[in-house]
């Protein structure tokens, strides 16, 4: 069964450093998402991406964040200058087509630790 | 924010049915009701979704009230692997197609 994959599983970085989190969505999916979950808290939407541009973004997704689909398979989330409060699990998700009735497939997540 | 209300936690015995309730009194006519779950240390996982009619799949059943102001996720025979946080999610108009997760219901399954 096809699945969303994410690398690395755990990333440790120093405050102020740039990090890139990588995702490979399911191959025939067209819509891509990033969510984050701070330890012990709820899952929060960050951004959605379709047709090589951002469709929606939340207040969390400020100028420090960017997303890119550099080739036909990868979908990346970049944090330019990490802060301690960026420490969280980051989940990538994808869906085949638009429409609220369609399920999103989530990856296993990347745990980001900012020291 | 999510427009659903769920109990914080529930407990079930293994191999017994589990009914997880969700209230969504402000649901609009075109809102789908989605259920996801999150097993420990994993990403959210799709369980089931519906609009008006009750739905069944291999994982669960979804019973939707006639006025659509509430729904119930039914696990017919709980297993230890079903211990997870279960999220009932509606569309959030602020974010278009994107999910807004609430705190969910933490289901514990006792052997």
């Amino acid at each position: 069964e096809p699945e969303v994959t994410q690398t690395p599983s755990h990333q440790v970085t120093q405050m102020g450093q740039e990090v890139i989190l990588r995702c490979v969505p399911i191959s025939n999916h067209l819509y891509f998402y990033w969510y984050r979950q701070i330890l012990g808290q709820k899952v929060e939407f960050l951004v959605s991406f379709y047709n090589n541009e951002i469709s929606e973004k939340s207040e969390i997704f400020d100028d420090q964040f960017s997303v890119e689909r550099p080739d036909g398979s990868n979908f990346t989330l970049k944090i330019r200058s990490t802060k301690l409060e960026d420490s969280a699990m980051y989940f990538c998700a994808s869906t085949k087509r638009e429409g609220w009735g369609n399920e999103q497939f989530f990856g296993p997540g990347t745990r980001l630790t900012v020291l | 924010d999510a427009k659903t209300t769920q109990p914080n936690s529930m407990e079930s015995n293994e191999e017994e049915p589990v009914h997880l309730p969700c209230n969504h009194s402000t649901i609009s006519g075109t809102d789908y009701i989605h259920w996801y779950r999150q097993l420990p240390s994993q990403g959210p996982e799709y369980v089931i979704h519906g609009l008006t009619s009750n739905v069944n799949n291999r994982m669960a059943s979804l019973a939707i009230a006639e006025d659509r102001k509430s729904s119930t996720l039914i696990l017919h025979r709980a297993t230890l692997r079903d211990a997870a946080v279960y999220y009932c999610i509606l569309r959030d108009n602020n974010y278009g197609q994107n999910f807004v997760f609430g705190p969910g219901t933490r289901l514990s399954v006792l052997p």
Side-chain angles (χ1 to χ4, degrees):
Chain A
E1 190 171 322
E3 58 184 19
V4 176
T5 59
Q6 291 185 243
T7 54
S9 57
H10 191 187
Q11 173 91 45
V12 181
T13 189
Q14 295 289 327
M15 190 170 58
Q17 295 294 305
E18 174 184 287
V19 294
I20 297 176
L21 310 182
R22 301 180 193 280
C23 167
V24 179
I26 295 172
S27 63
N28 61 347
H29 284 193
L30 300 176
Y31 295 81
F32 314 112
Y33 310 85
W34 283 101
Y35 294 81
R36 80 170 186 190
Q37 186 174 32
I38 295 170
L39 185 64
Q41 298 188 24
K42 60 186 181 180
V43 178
E44 300 173 288
F45 165 72
L46 293 179
V47 65
S48 61
F49 191 85
Y50 168 71
N51 200 26
N52 280 319
E53 59 183 29
I54 290 173
S55 307
E56 305 279 351
K57 60 182 181 178
S58 72
E59 291 176 355
I60 302 168
F61 194 88
D62 61 21
D63 292 344
Q64 291 300 312
F65 291 88
S66 62
V67 289
E68 193 178 33
R69 189 156 161 79
D71 52 42
S73 58
N74 289 285
F75 178 51
T76 62
L77 174 70
K78 182 194 290 186
I79 308 175
R80 262 181 272 281
S81 177
T82 50
K83 303 188 282 284
L84 295 177
E85 53 265 39
D86 293 327
S87 294
M89 284 290 291
Y90 287 81
F91 296 107
C92 173
S94 69
T95 190
K96 187 182 291 188
R97 58 188 184 274
E98 69 179 347
W100 184 239
N102 296 295
E103 66 177 282
Q104 289 188 10
F105 293 81
F106 285 79
T110 292
R111 179 173 299 283
L112 176 65
T113 302
V114 182
L115 303 175
Chain B
D1 285 358
K3 298 174 289 186
T4 63
T5 304
Q6 298 178 252
N8 291 332
S9 61
M10 290 183 65
E11 237 176 43
S12 170
N13 294 317
E14 198 176 9
E15 297 190 6
E16 303 251 326
V18 183
H19 290 231
L20 297 164
C22 181
N23 288 316
H24 29 79
S25 58
T26 59
I27 191 170
S28 73
T30 54
D31 281 347
Y32 279 80
I33 302 159
H34 281 247
W35 283 83
Y36 278 71
R37 71 180 185 181
Q38 189 173 21
L39 279 63
S41 302
Q42 295 190 29
E45 174 188 33
Y46 170 79
V47 178
I48 201 166
H49 76 276
L51 183 60
T52 56
S53 304
N54 294 343
V55 184
N56 299 296
N57 66 20
R58 62 177 177 82
M59 287 181 73
S61 296
L62 176 60
I64 301 173
E66 200 169 325
D67 63 5
R68 300 210 325 127
K69 294 186 176 182
S70 65
S71 61
T72 302
L73 177 70
I74 302 165
L75 307 179
H76 296 285
R77 286 177 75 239
T79 68
L80 297 178
R81 197 197 171 273
D82 291 322
V85 179
Y86 286 78
Y87 301 101
C88 169
I89 305 169
L90 302 182
R91 172 182 182 163
D92 182 278
N93 289 332
N94 289 331
Y95 294 127
Q97 306 292 334
N98 311 299
F99 288 109
V100 178
F101 287 79
T105 295
R106 182 173 298 279
L107 175 67
S108 302
V109 180
L110 306 176

